[in-house]
Amino acid sequence: MIPRIYIPADSGALALGAEKVAKAIEKELKERGVEAKIVRNGSRGAYFLEPMVEVATANGRVAYGPVKASDVKSLFDSGFLTGGHHKRWLGSPDKIPFFAKQTRLTFARCGINDPLSLDAYKSLGGLRGLQNAVAMTPADVVKQVTESGLRGRGGAGFPTGIKWKTVLDTAGEQKYIVCNADEGDSATFADRMIMEGDPFVLIEGMAIAGVATGATKGFVYIRSEYPHAVATMNKAVAIARKAGVLGVNVLGSPNAFDMEIRVGAGAYVCGEETSLLNSLEGKRGVVRAKPPLPAIQGLFGKPTVINNVISLASVPIIMDKGAAYYKDFGMGRSRGTIPIQIAGNVRNGGLFETAFGLTLGEIVDDIGGGTASGRPVKAVQVGGPLGAYFPRALFDTPFDYEEFAKRDGLIGHAGITVFDDTADMLKQARFAMEFCAIESCGKCTPCRIGSTRGVEVLDKVAAGIEAEKNLALVTDLCNTMKFGSLCALGGFTPYPVMSSITHFPEDFKPAPARVAAE
Ligand SMILES: Cc1cc2nc3c(=O)[nH]c(=O)nc-3n(C[C@H](O)[C@H](O)[C@H](O)COP(=O)(O)O)c2cc1C
Ligand code: SF4
């Protein structure tokens, strides 16, 4: 049997040198006259081990990582094609603790095979969910998704089934499925990873959404910073179309569904659903007032399901194994699994899919391994640039929508950014206001003007000018933004600002006191 070598072509792995490693392996094979098949897979998500090269041996797969091009010669000398020992040897991927501790439902296939092999997708259970869906009534498909407890993974955590039911129940000669792949939150890469590593699961999820609601056309709106994801998705859509997964008769059924990939121009606010719809229509990415909800009047004024990549990619397993199977994972009203993306100043950065319920401390300390700098963890921002900063005192918070809300935080798209004790939380609070000022679409006053005033007032606090009075002003401003903004960009910017002030008051002391304290 010809040996198989798996080298990720995921953009995270490429950024860490996977292409150089692939070239070095090709060269070495040629020079040694050894025949082997190189498969370019996606990433399994342990970025601290990327580029992670795997070989298929008689005893299963053996992983090596992080591999540098300079390691390649010695890898061959150590007999890595048969799993030989080497300083980069990691053993069976399934036994690497970072993977062994995960519950992979949505990412079950991601990173294992060539992402564009539909046969490989099917061999690992792909298309079973869609097959089941086309044999059911739309109402029953919606019921399954509702009963699974799946909530939107884009940020707001809205029940996916309820959104689908609204579109199903709304009359319209044309309905749409729009997939939100703008993924603008800091520390997040789950959408990108699955689009590059298992694109058919998203296509399958979107086709199921179409079957369930009567929508015949779908769009994936991908941020321009993701060229690899755009290329992979375009190729996967063409393959799915040719294979009859998409088209006028989805899997031979009477249901029609086709889709297109669209590329955004790069604005954080274009991840907000109504702004995204404007952008898709070729207009400026400005937030639309709701109502009407996109489910009633969405893309081009038609009933539209708009869901995040992970929400849609979680549907195939629900339709394959049933609502009860999925719902069995998780806690409280947070059902199923969540791909947590661990980033920032952290030792083991990567994507960790697990049932809801792990505490923040378990995620940061046990899974993430603490900071990369080796210094104590000071703060963790959860939920992207609009998420709150959590101090160690709140590390017992379980990863659950309601538990985070109780502590004035949010899960968002499940990205967490770790900071060590050198972080200055006043600077972080200022950054939140500045980010909002730069990214604001400008439609409403609290966000457009408030964020700029917020930067100015925090600058005064930093300069020690009437710090107490100005901090009270920031609090007042945050309340105005929270309750008076049209969308969550202005409405949630107070979370990182107020959590910094509440949990790290020592960083907001007047300048002379701060200097004296340092
Ligand atoms: C400023 C802003 C940016 C957002 N960015 C994204 C994004 O990049 N991706 C995403 O899926 N949702 C984003 N959202 C949430 C979307 O508005 C919307 O809730 C989501 O697409 C719905 O899909 P879901 O129910 O599957 O989560 C953003 C919201 C706001 C207010
Ligand atoms: S809160 Fe900001 S981004 Fe949202 S509508 Fe208002 S101005 Fe636009």
Side-chain angles (χ1 to χ4, degrees), residues 305-359:
V305 166
I306 173 155
N307 272 138
N308 171 254
V309 173
I310 303 303
S311 318
L312 290 161
S314 299
V315 168
I317 188 138
I318 293 168
M319 293 309 299
D320 174 15
K321 303 216 167 167
Y325 173 84
Y326 191 80
K327 198 180 179 171
D328 206 28
F329 298 92
M331 69 173 280
R333 288 181 50 226
S334 305
R335 308 312 313 173
T337 58
I338 177 91
I340 300 169
Q341 299 129 86
I342 310 169
N345 186 346
V346 70
R347 192 186 304 233
N348 302 334
L351 180 137
F352 191 90
E353 183 178 350
T354 181
F356 283 95
L358 277 189
T359 66

Short mmCIF file of all heavy atoms in Angstrom, two decimals, residues 305-359:
data_model
loop_
_atom_site.label_atom_id
_atom_site.label_comp_id
_atom_site.label_asym_id
_atom_site.label_seq_id
_atom_site.Cartn_x
_atom_site.Cartn_y
_atom_site.Cartn_z
N VAL A 305 -33.99 33.24 5.87
CA VAL A 305 -33.31 32.69 7.06
C VAL A 305 -31.90 33.23 7.00
O VAL A 305 -31.22 33.08 6.00
CB VAL A 305 -33.24 31.14 6.99
CG1 VAL A 305 -32.24 30.61 8.03
CG2 VAL A 305 -34.60 30.51 7.21
N ILE A 306 -31.46 33.89 8.07
CA ILE A 306 -30.04 34.26 8.13
C ILE A 306 -29.45 33.61 9.38
O ILE A 306 -29.93 33.82 10.48
CB ILE A 306 -29.80 35.79 8.03
CG1 ILE A 306 -28.31 36.10 8.26
CG2 ILE A 306 -30.67 36.63 8.90
CD1 ILE A 306 -27.85 37.39 7.62
N ASN A 307 -28.49 32.75 9.13
CA ASN A 307 -27.85 31.99 10.21
C ASN A 307 -26.34 32.02 10.07
O ASN A 307 -25.79 32.09 8.96
CB ASN A 307 -28.28 30.52 10.16
CG ASN A 307 -29.55 30.22 10.94
OD1 ASN A 307 -30.41 29.48 10.48
ND2 ASN A 307 -29.66 30.76 12.14
N ASN A 308 -25.70 31.86 11.19
CA ASN A 308 -24.25 31.75 11.23
C ASN A 308 -23.81 30.40 10.63
O ASN A 308 -24.57 29.43 10.60
CB ASN A 308 -23.80 31.86 12.69
CG ASN A 308 -22.34 31.54 12.87
OD1 ASN A 308 -21.98 30.48 13.37
ND2 ASN A 308 -21.49 32.44 12.43
N VAL A 309 -22.56 30.33 10.20
CA VAL A 309 -21.99 29.10 9.62
C VAL A 309 -22.16 27.91 10.57
O VAL A 309 -22.60 26.83 10.17
CB VAL A 309 -20.46 29.29 9.34
CG1 VAL A 309 -19.82 27.97 8.91
CG2 VAL A 309 -20.22 30.37 8.30
N ILE A 310 -21.80 28.12 11.84
CA ILE A 310 -21.81 26.99 12.78
C ILE A 310 -23.24 26.54 13.09
O ILE A 310 -23.49 25.34 13.25
CB ILE A 310 -21.04 27.35 14.08
CG1 ILE A 310 -19.60 27.77 13.74
CG2 ILE A 310 -21.02 26.17 15.06
CD1 ILE A 310 -18.76 26.76 12.97
N SER A 311 -24.19 27.48 13.13
CA SER A 311 -25.59 27.08 13.33
C SER A 311 -26.00 26.13 12.20
O SER A 311 -26.56 25.05 12.44
CB SER A 311 -26.52 28.30 13.30
OG SER A 311 -25.98 29.37 14.01
N LEU A 312 -25.73 26.54 10.96
CA LEU A 312 -26.13 25.73 9.80
C LEU A 312 -25.35 24.42 9.73
O LEU A 312 -25.91 23.37 9.42
CB LEU A 312 -25.94 26.54 8.51
CG LEU A 312 -26.94 27.70 8.34
CD1 LEU A 312 -26.43 28.71 7.32
CD2 LEU A 312 -28.32 27.18 7.93
N ALA A 313 -24.06 24.47 10.06
CA ALA A 313 -23.23 23.26 9.98
C ALA A 313 -23.56 22.27 11.10
O ALA A 313 -23.11 21.12 11.06
CB ALA A 313 -21.75 23.65 10.02
N SER A 314 -24.33 22.73 12.11
CA SER A 314 -24.72 21.82 13.20
C SER A 314 -26.01 21.07 12.87
O SER A 314 -26.37 20.12 13.57
CB SER A 314 -24.89 22.60 14.51
OG SER A 314 -23.66 23.21 14.86
N VAL A 315 -26.70 21.52 11.83
CA VAL A 315 -28.00 20.91 11.50
C VAL A 315 -27.87 19.49 10.94
O VAL A 315 -28.66 18.61 11.31
CB VAL A 315 -28.79 21.85 10.54
CG1 VAL A 315 -30.00 21.14 9.96
CG2 VAL A 315 -29.21 23.11 11.29
N PRO A 316 -26.87 19.19 10.06
CA PRO A 316 -26.81 17.83 9.50
C PRO A 316 -26.76 16.73 10.57
O PRO A 316 -27.45 15.72 10.45
CB PRO A 316 -25.53 17.85 8.65
CG PRO A 316 -25.45 19.27 8.18
CD PRO A 316 -25.91 20.08 9.36
N ILE A 317 -26.02 16.94 11.64
CA ILE A 317 -25.94 15.87 12.66
C ILE A 317 -27.27 15.74 13.41
O ILE A 317 -27.67 14.64 13.81
CB ILE A 317 -24.75 16.07 13.62
CG1 ILE A 317 -24.59 14.85 14.54
CG2 ILE A 317 -24.85 17.31 14.48
CD1 ILE A 317 -23.21 14.39 14.75
N ILE A 318 -27.98 16.87 13.55
CA ILE A 318 -29.30 16.82 14.21
C ILE A 318 -30.26 16.00 13.34
O ILE A 318 -31.00 15.14 13.83
CB ILE A 318 -29.84 18.25 14.44
CG1 ILE A 318 -28.96 18.97 15.47
CG2 ILE A 318 -31.30 18.23 14.87
CD1 ILE A 318 -29.21 20.46 15.57
N MET A 319 -30.23 16.27 12.03
CA MET A 319 -31.14 15.55 11.13
C MET A 319 -30.68 14.11 10.90
O MET A 319 -31.47 13.27 10.47
CB MET A 319 -31.24 16.29 9.78
CG MET A 319 -31.90 17.65 9.87
SD MET A 319 -33.50 17.61 10.74
CE MET A 319 -34.42 16.50 9.69
N ASP A 320 -29.42 13.81 11.16
CA ASP A 320 -28.92 12.45 11.02
C ASP A 320 -29.25 11.63 12.28
O ASP A 320 -29.87 10.58 12.22
CB ASP A 320 -27.40 12.50 10.79
CG ASP A 320 -26.75 11.13 10.77
OD1 ASP A 320 -27.49 10.13 10.66
OD2 ASP A 320 -25.51 11.05 10.85
N LYS A 321 -28.87 12.17 13.45
CA LYS A 321 -29.01 11.39 14.69
C LYS A 321 -30.25 11.74 15.50
O LYS A 321 -30.54 11.09 16.50
CB LYS A 321 -27.76 11.58 15.54
CG LYS A 321 -26.49 11.18 14.78
CD LYS A 321 -25.49 10.54 15.66
CE LYS A 321 -24.41 9.90 14.80
NZ LYS A 321 -23.25 9.50 15.52
N GLY A 322 -30.96 12.78 15.11
CA GLY A 322 -32.20 13.13 15.81
C GLY A 322 -32.01 14.23 16.84
O GLY A 322 -30.91 14.43 17.37
N ALA A 323 -33.12 14.94 17.11
CA ALA A 323 -33.09 16.07 18.03
C ALA A 323 -32.65 15.64 19.42
O ALA A 323 -31.88 16.32 20.09
CB ALA A 323 -34.47 16.72 18.09
N ALA A 324 -33.14 14.48 19.87
CA ALA A 324 -32.87 14.04 21.24
C ALA A 324 -31.38 13.80 21.45
O ALA A 324 -30.83 14.12 22.51
CB ALA A 324 -33.66 12.77 21.54
N TYR A 325 -30.73 13.23 20.43
CA TYR A 325 -29.28 12.97 20.52
C TYR A 325 -28.53 14.27 20.78
O TYR A 325 -27.70 14.36 21.68
CB TYR A 325 -28.80 12.31 19.22
CG TYR A 325 -27.30 12.15 19.12
CD1 TYR A 325 -26.67 11.05 19.71
CD2 TYR A 325 -26.52 13.10 18.47
CE1 TYR A 325 -25.29 10.91 19.65
CE2 TYR A 325 -25.14 12.96 18.40
CZ TYR A 325 -24.54 11.86 18.98
OH TYR A 325 -23.17 11.73 18.91
N TYR A 326 -28.84 15.30 19.99
CA TYR A 326 -28.13 16.57 20.10
C TYR A 326 -28.44 17.26 21.43
O TYR A 326 -27.56 17.76 22.12
CB TYR A 326 -28.51 17.48 18.92
CG TYR A 326 -27.64 18.70 18.81
CD1 TYR A 326 -26.38 18.65 18.23
CD2 TYR A 326 -28.09 19.94 19.28
CE1 TYR A 326 -25.58 19.76 18.13
CE2 TYR A 326 -27.29 21.07 19.19
CZ TYR A 326 -26.03 20.97 18.60
OH TYR A 326 -25.24 22.09 18.51
N LYS A 327 -29.71 17.22 21.77
CA LYS A 327 -30.18 17.92 22.97
C LYS A 327 -29.61 17.34 24.25
O LYS A 327 -29.54 18.00 25.29
CB LYS A 327 -31.72 17.81 23.00
CG LYS A 327 -32.35 18.82 23.88
CD LYS A 327 -33.84 18.68 23.89
CE LYS A 327 -34.43 19.72 24.83
NZ LYS A 327 -35.85 19.79 24.73
N ASP A 328 -29.19 16.09 24.16
CA ASP A 328 -28.65 15.40 25.33
C ASP A 328 -27.35 16.04 25.83
O ASP A 328 -26.98 15.87 26.98
CB ASP A 328 -28.40 13.94 24.91
CG ASP A 328 -28.47 13.02 26.09
OD1 ASP A 328 -29.19 13.37 27.04
OD2 ASP A 328 -27.78 11.98 26.08
N PHE A 329 -26.66 16.75 24.96
CA PHE A 329 -25.43 17.42 25.37
C PHE A 329 -25.78 18.83 25.87
O PHE A 329 -26.74 19.43 25.40
CB PHE A 329 -24.46 17.55 24.18
CG PHE A 329 -24.01 16.23 23.61
CD1 PHE A 329 -24.70 15.63 22.56
CD2 PHE A 329 -22.92 15.56 24.14
CE1 PHE A 329 -24.31 14.42 22.04
CE2 PHE A 329 -22.51 14.34 23.63
CZ PHE A 329 -23.20 13.77 22.58
N GLY A 330 -24.97 19.33 26.80
CA GLY A 330 -25.14 20.72 27.22
C GLY A 330 -25.75 20.88 28.60
O GLY A 330 -25.89 19.91 29.35
N MET A 331 -26.10 22.12 28.94
CA MET A 331 -26.70 22.42 30.24
C MET A 331 -27.77 23.50 30.08
O MET A 331 -27.72 24.30 29.13
CB MET A 331 -25.63 22.89 31.23
CG MET A 331 -25.04 24.26 30.93
SD MET A 331 -23.92 24.86 32.23
CE MET A 331 -25.10 25.49 33.44
N GLY A 332 -28.71 23.51 30.99
CA GLY A 332 -29.75 24.54 30.98
C GLY A 332 -30.40 24.69 29.62
O GLY A 332 -30.78 23.69 29.00
N ARG A 333 -30.49 25.93 29.16
CA ARG A 333 -31.07 26.18 27.84
C ARG A 333 -30.02 26.23 26.74
O ARG A 333 -30.31 26.56 25.60
CB ARG A 333 -31.88 27.49 27.88
CG ARG A 333 -33.19 27.35 28.68
CD ARG A 333 -33.97 28.66 28.69
NE ARG A 333 -34.10 29.21 27.35
CZ ARG A 333 -33.88 30.49 27.04
NH1 ARG A 333 -33.50 31.35 27.95
NH2 ARG A 333 -34.03 30.91 25.80
N SER A 334 -28.78 25.90 27.10
CA SER A 334 -27.70 25.85 26.10
C SER A 334 -27.47 24.39 25.73
O SER A 334 -26.78 23.66 26.45
CB SER A 334 -26.42 26.46 26.67
OG SER A 334 -26.66 27.76 27.13
N ARG A 335 -28.06 23.97 24.65
CA ARG A 335 -28.03 22.54 24.29
C ARG A 335 -27.00 22.28 23.20
O ARG A 335 -26.68 23.13 22.39
CB ARG A 335 -29.41 22.06 23.79
CG ARG A 335 -30.60 22.36 24.68
CD ARG A 335 -30.43 22.02 26.14
NE ARG A 335 -29.87 20.71 26.41
CZ ARG A 335 -29.51 20.28 27.63
NH1 ARG A 335 -29.65 21.06 28.68
NH2 ARG A 335 -28.99 19.07 27.78
N GLY A 336 -26.51 21.03 23.20
CA GLY A 336 -25.56 20.61 22.16
C GLY A 336 -24.13 21.00 22.51
O GLY A 336 -23.77 21.16 23.68
N THR A 337 -23.35 21.19 21.45
CA THR A 337 -21.94 21.51 21.65
C THR A 337 -21.63 22.91 21.12
O THR A 337 -22.41 23.47 20.36
CB THR A 337 -21.04 20.51 20.90
OG1 THR A 337 -21.39 20.56 19.51
CG2 THR A 337 -21.19 19.09 21.44
N ILE A 338 -20.47 23.40 21.53
CA ILE A 338 -20.05 24.73 21.10
C ILE A 338 -18.54 24.68 20.77
O ILE A 338 -17.77 24.18 21.58
CB ILE A 338 -20.38 25.80 22.19
CG1 ILE A 338 -19.89 27.19 21.82
CG2 ILE A 338 -19.86 25.42 23.56
CD1 ILE A 338 -20.91 28.00 21.10
N PRO A 339 -18.17 25.14 19.58
CA PRO A 339 -16.74 25.16 19.27
C PRO A 339 -16.09 26.40 19.89
O PRO A 339 -16.25 27.51 19.38
CB PRO A 339 -16.71 25.22 17.74
CG PRO A 339 -18.01 25.79 17.33
CD PRO A 339 -18.99 25.61 18.46
N ILE A 340 -15.40 26.21 21.00
CA ILE A 340 -14.76 27.34 21.69
C ILE A 340 -13.42 27.62 21.01
O ILE A 340 -12.64 26.69 20.78
CB ILE A 340 -14.57 27.00 23.18
CG1 ILE A 340 -15.93 26.73 23.83
CG2 ILE A 340 -13.85 28.15 23.91
CD1 ILE A 340 -15.86 26.14 25.21
N GLN A 341 -13.20 28.88 20.70
CA GLN A 341 -11.95 29.24 20.04
C GLN A 341 -11.08 29.98 21.05
O GLN A 341 -11.46 31.02 21.56
CB GLN A 341 -12.25 30.09 18.82
CG GLN A 341 -13.10 29.34 17.81
CD GLN A 341 -14.32 30.13 17.38
OE1 GLN A 341 -14.24 30.94 16.46
NE2 GLN A 341 -15.45 29.94 18.05
N ILE A 342 -9.94 29.36 21.36
CA ILE A 342 -9.07 29.86 22.43
C ILE A 342 -7.88 30.58 21.78
O ILE A 342 -7.14 29.96 21.00
CB ILE A 342 -8.58 28.69 23.31
CG1 ILE A 342 -9.76 27.80 23.73
CG2 ILE A 342 -7.82 29.21 24.52
CD1 ILE A 342 -9.36 26.48 24.37
N ALA A 343 -7.73 31.87 22.09
CA ALA A 343 -6.68 32.65 21.42
C ALA A 343 -6.13 33.72 22.36
O ALA A 343 -6.46 33.76 23.53
CB ALA A 343 -7.25 33.29 20.15
N GLY A 344 -5.28 34.55 21.80
CA GLY A 344 -4.63 35.59 22.59
C GLY A 344 -3.35 35.07 23.20
O GLY A 344 -2.67 34.22 22.60
N ASN A 345 -3.03 35.54 24.40
CA ASN A 345 -1.81 35.13 25.08
C ASN A 345 -2.07 33.80 25.80
O ASN A 345 -2.30 33.77 27.01
CB ASN A 345 -1.40 36.24 26.07
CG ASN A 345 -0.06 35.97 26.71
OD1 ASN A 345 0.47 34.86 26.64
ND2 ASN A 345 0.49 36.98 27.35
N VAL A 346 -2.06 32.72 25.04
CA VAL A 346 -2.42 31.41 25.60
C VAL A 346 -1.48 30.34 25.03
O VAL A 346 -1.03 30.44 23.89
CB VAL A 346 -3.91 31.09 25.30
CG1 VAL A 346 -4.17 30.83 23.83
CG2 VAL A 346 -4.44 29.96 26.15
N ARG A 347 -1.18 29.35 25.88
CA ARG A 347 -0.22 28.32 25.44
C ARG A 347 -0.81 27.42 24.35
O ARG A 347 -0.20 27.21 23.32
CB ARG A 347 0.18 27.48 26.65
CG ARG A 347 1.37 26.59 26.39
CD ARG A 347 1.58 25.71 27.58
NE ARG A 347 1.73 26.55 28.77
CZ ARG A 347 2.74 26.47 29.61
NH1 ARG A 347 3.68 25.59 29.41
NH2 ARG A 347 2.80 27.25 30.67
N ASN A 348 -2.01 26.87 24.60
CA ASN A 348 -2.61 25.93 23.64
C ASN A 348 -3.75 26.59 22.88
O ASN A 348 -4.93 26.36 23.18
CB ASN A 348 -3.13 24.68 24.36
CG ASN A 348 -2.05 23.97 25.14
OD1 ASN A 348 -0.86 24.07 24.80
ND2 ASN A 348 -2.42 23.26 26.17
N GLY A 349 -3.42 27.42 21.92
CA GLY A 349 -4.46 28.09 21.16
C GLY A 349 -5.08 27.14 20.14
O GLY A 349 -4.38 26.31 19.55
N GLY A 350 -6.40 27.24 19.97
CA GLY A 350 -7.04 26.39 18.98
C GLY A 350 -8.53 26.30 19.19
O GLY A 350 -9.10 27.02 20.01
N LEU A 351 -9.15 25.41 18.42
CA LEU A 351 -10.60 25.22 18.49
C LEU A 351 -10.91 23.97 19.30
O LEU A 351 -10.38 22.90 19.02
CB LEU A 351 -11.18 25.11 17.09
CG LEU A 351 -12.70 24.91 17.05
CD1 LEU A 351 -13.33 25.78 15.96
CD2 LEU A 351 -13.07 23.45 16.82
N PHE A 352 -11.76 24.14 20.30
CA PHE A 352 -12.10 23.05 21.20
C PHE A 352 -13.61 22.90 21.24
O PHE A 352 -14.31 23.73 21.82
CB PHE A 352 -11.54 23.37 22.59
CG PHE A 352 -11.60 22.22 23.55
CD1 PHE A 352 -10.55 21.33 23.66
CD2 PHE A 352 -12.72 22.04 24.36
CE1 PHE A 352 -10.60 20.25 24.55
CE2 PHE A 352 -12.78 20.96 25.25
CZ PHE A 352 -11.71 20.09 25.35
N GLU A 353 -14.13 21.85 20.59
CA GLU A 353 -15.60 21.64 20.60
C GLU A 353 -15.98 20.78 21.80
O GLU A 353 -15.42 19.71 22.02
CB GLU A 353 -16.08 20.97 19.30
CG GLU A 353 -17.61 20.83 19.29
CD GLU A 353 -18.18 20.21 18.02
OE1 GLU A 353 -17.44 20.03 17.03
OE2 GLU A 353 -19.39 19.91 18.03
N THR A 354 -16.93 21.28 22.54
CA THR A 354 -17.35 20.57 23.75
C THR A 354 -18.80 20.88 24.05
O THR A 354 -19.33 21.88 23.56
CB THR A 354 -16.44 20.99 24.94
OG1 THR A 354 -16.83 20.27 26.11
CG2 THR A 354 -16.53 22.47 25.23
N ALA A 355 -19.43 20.03 24.86
CA ALA A 355 -20.80 20.32 25.30
C ALA A 355 -20.76 21.59 26.14
O ALA A 355 -19.76 21.85 26.82
CB ALA A 355 -21.33 19.16 26.11
N PHE A 356 -21.83 22.39 26.12
CA PHE A 356 -21.90 23.56 26.99
C PHE A 356 -21.72 23.10 28.44
O PHE A 356 -22.10 21.98 28.80
CB PHE A 356 -23.29 24.22 26.86
CG PHE A 356 -23.45 25.04 25.62
CD1 PHE A 356 -24.03 24.48 24.49
CD2 PHE A 356 -23.03 26.36 25.57
CE1 PHE A 356 -24.19 25.22 23.33
CE2 PHE A 356 -23.20 27.12 24.41
CZ PHE A 356 -23.77 26.55 23.30
N GLY A 357 -21.14 23.95 29.27
CA GLY A 357 -21.08 23.62 30.70
C GLY A 357 -19.71 23.64 31.32
O GLY A 357 -19.59 23.70 32.55
N LEU A 358 -18.64 23.55 30.50
CA LEU A 358 -17.29 23.66 31.09
C LEU A 358 -17.16 25.03 31.72
O LEU A 358 -17.71 26.00 31.20
CB LEU A 358 -16.21 23.55 30.01
CG LEU A 358 -15.75 22.19 29.50
CD1 LEU A 358 -14.54 22.39 28.60
CD2 LEU A 358 -15.41 21.25 30.65
N THR A 359 -16.40 25.15 32.80
CA THR A 359 -16.22 26.49 33.37
C THR A 359 -15.13 27.24 32.58
O THR A 359 -14.28 26.61 31.94
CB THR A 359 -15.80 26.45 34.85
OG1 THR A 359 -14.50 25.87 34.92
CG2 THR A 359 -16.79 25.68 35.69
#
